Amino acid sequence: LVLVIREGAELLFAPRISLISYSPVRALGAPSAPIIMRALQTGVPWGVFAIVNAPQKSVFSHVTLREGKNATINGIYFSGILSVHGSDVAFTDGRVEQAGADDGIHISSGEAIITDTLFRDNSSDGIDIDFAKGESLFERNVFVASGGDAMDLSFSKIVLRDNTVKTCGDKGISVGEASRLLIEKNKIKNCVYGIAVKDRSEATLANNTLENNEPAVGLYRKKPHFIAGGTAPLSENQFIN
């Protein structure tokens, strides 16, 4: 079975209400008819849209997620407006706005392809991914006014390419817990850390532009049991102010 959400659909969620799917989701909007998931009462957050252990990849295109928060259901804590556990997902040409908890999108133990999406005014992280699998990729996304990290990655192997970060309360890109990343052609401006690589992680940094961050790149150990800090070969990056 597949949960199908058709173009132009608008899902309005009452306070603390969530939707959980154990089947793959096919939510294909259109530029002129996006799918919108938002609070029934403006300014009063709902819960999450979550996918758990779906046997095939879920696909979202031209979907807007707005004013969700978090939920604990059947013993699972869901921290993002879109929370995907044990499943693969592709999310393209979307918007994720005003997330009220830890993450805009949180993915755990799956392949994640997130492209051409705007993350704006989220209270903490834009994207948080743990245990990324397969050919995971974040590309051509824009992050504006993230309260925490724009992108937070743990125990993952993934490519981050051509993303733009404009102002964040913590890190533009946080690489932790033995992750292996290629980070290239990203623009990160006005964050506390531009890019942080820590806890036995390695990130190759190539052709990135980092502006008005303090510092631009940080390598360190945060959690003692990882023994080592982070390493980051650098090539053709620009450091401004």
Side-chain angles (χ1 to χ4, degrees), residues 24-58:
V25 175
R26 185 177 176 86
L28 300 181
S32 59
I35 295 167
I36 297 173
M37 304 182 195
R38 64 175 178 85
L40 176 65
Q41 300 170 246
T42 300
V44 181
W46 51 288
V48 300
F49 188 106
I51 303 167
V52 179
N53 296 331
Q56 290 92 37
K57 178 184 288 187
S58 293

Side-chain angles (χ1 to χ4, degrees), residues 163-176:
N163 301 286
T164 299
V165 179
K166 301 176 181 178
T167 308
C168 59
D170 197 357
K171 304 172 186 71
I173 301 172
S174 177
V175 185

Side-chain angles (χ1 to χ4, degrees), residues 36-39 46 64-68 81 95 97-98:
I36 297 173
M37 304 182 195
R38 64 175 178 85
W46 51 288
T64 294
L65 304 168
R66 184 181 299 132
E67 292 188 311
I81 305 180
R95 299 172 70 98
E97 302 172 322
Q98 297 174 297

Side-chain angles (χ1 to χ4, degrees), residues 9-17 34-49 62-70 80-82 91 94-101 103-105 117-123:
E10 191 167 6
L11 283 66
L12 309 181
F13 291 84
R16 299 183 299 278
I17 296 299
I35 295 167
I36 297 173
M37 304 182 195
R38 64 175 178 85
L40 176 65
Q41 300 170 246
T42 300
V44 181
W46 51 288
V48 300
F49 188 106
H62 296 286
V63 174
T64 294
L65 304 168
R66 184 181 299 132
E67 292 188 311
K69 194 171 183 182
N70 56 5
I81 305 180
L82 176 62
F91 193 99
R95 299 172 70 98
V96 181
E97 302 172 322
Q98 297 174 297
D103 311 308
I105 294 178
T117 291
L118 172 64
F119 294 81
R120 186 173 64 182
D121 296 326
N122 295 302
S123 65

Side-chain angles (χ1 to χ4, degrees), residues 97-138:
E97 302 172 322
Q98 297 174 297
D102 294 339
D103 311 308
I105 294 178
H106 177 242
I107 299 163
S108 178
S109 301
E111 179 182 85
I113 298 173
I114 303 177
T115 65
D116 302 291
T117 291
L118 172 64
F119 294 81
R120 186 173 64 182
D121 296 326
N122 295 302
S123 65
S124 190
D125 299 346
I127 301 173
D128 188 325
I129 186 164
D130 305 305
F131 302 100
K133 296 182 177 180
E135 301 298 321
S136 291
L137 170 70
F138 298 164

Side-chain angles (χ1 to χ4, degrees), residues 62-232:
H62 296 286
V63 174
T64 294
L65 304 168
R66 184 181 299 132
E67 292 188 311
K69 194 171 183 182
N70 56 5
T72 300
I73 299 170
N74 296 334
I76 302 174
Y77 175 63
F78 300 106
S79 61
I81 305 180
L82 176 62
S83 294
V84 183
H85 289 230
S87 307
D88 298 338
V89 63
F91 193 99
T92 64
D93 296 292
R95 299 172 70 98
V96 181
E97 302 172 322
Q98 297 174 297
D102 294 339
D103 311 308
I105 294 178
H106 177 242
I107 299 163
S108 178
S109 301
E111 179 182 85
I113 298 173
I114 303 177
T115 65
D116 302 291
T117 291
L118 172 64
F119 294 81
R120 186 173 64 182
D121 296 326
N122 295 302
S123 65
S124 190
D125 299 346
I127 301 173
D128 188 325
I129 186 164
D130 305 305
F131 302 100
K133 296 182 177 180
E135 301 298 321
S136 291
L137 170 70
F138 298 164
E139 188 171 42
R140 297 185 304 276
N141 302 293
V142 176
F143 301 82
V144 180
S146 301
D149 304 331
M151 291 164 276
D152 187 358
L153 308 107
S154 301
F155 298 106
S156 293
K157 182 178 180 182
I158 188 170
V159 175
L160 276 58
R161 180 183 296 121
D162 201 23
N163 301 286
T164 299
V165 179
K166 301 176 181 178
T167 308
C168 59
D170 197 357
K171 304 172 186 71
I173 301 172
S174 177
V175 185
E177 289 97 355
S179 292
R180 297 290 180 268
L181 269 69
L182 171 61
I183 301 174
E184 63 178 3
K185 299 180 181 178
N186 300 280
K187 298 179 176 66
I188 301 173
K189 184 176 182 178
N190 295 334
C191 295
V192 176
Y193 267 86
I195 301 171
V197 185
K198 52 191 185 295
D199 297 338
R200 217 170 70 244
S201 294
E202 180 173 329
T204 298
L205 276 55
N207 298 107
N208 301 286
T209 301
L210 297 110
E211 182 176 359
N212 290 334
N213 306 291
E214 186 180 347
V217 176
L219 311 177
Y220 58 95
R221 183 182 67 173
K222 180 179 180 181
K223 299 178 180 178
H225 64 271
F226 280 98
I227 309 301
T231 59

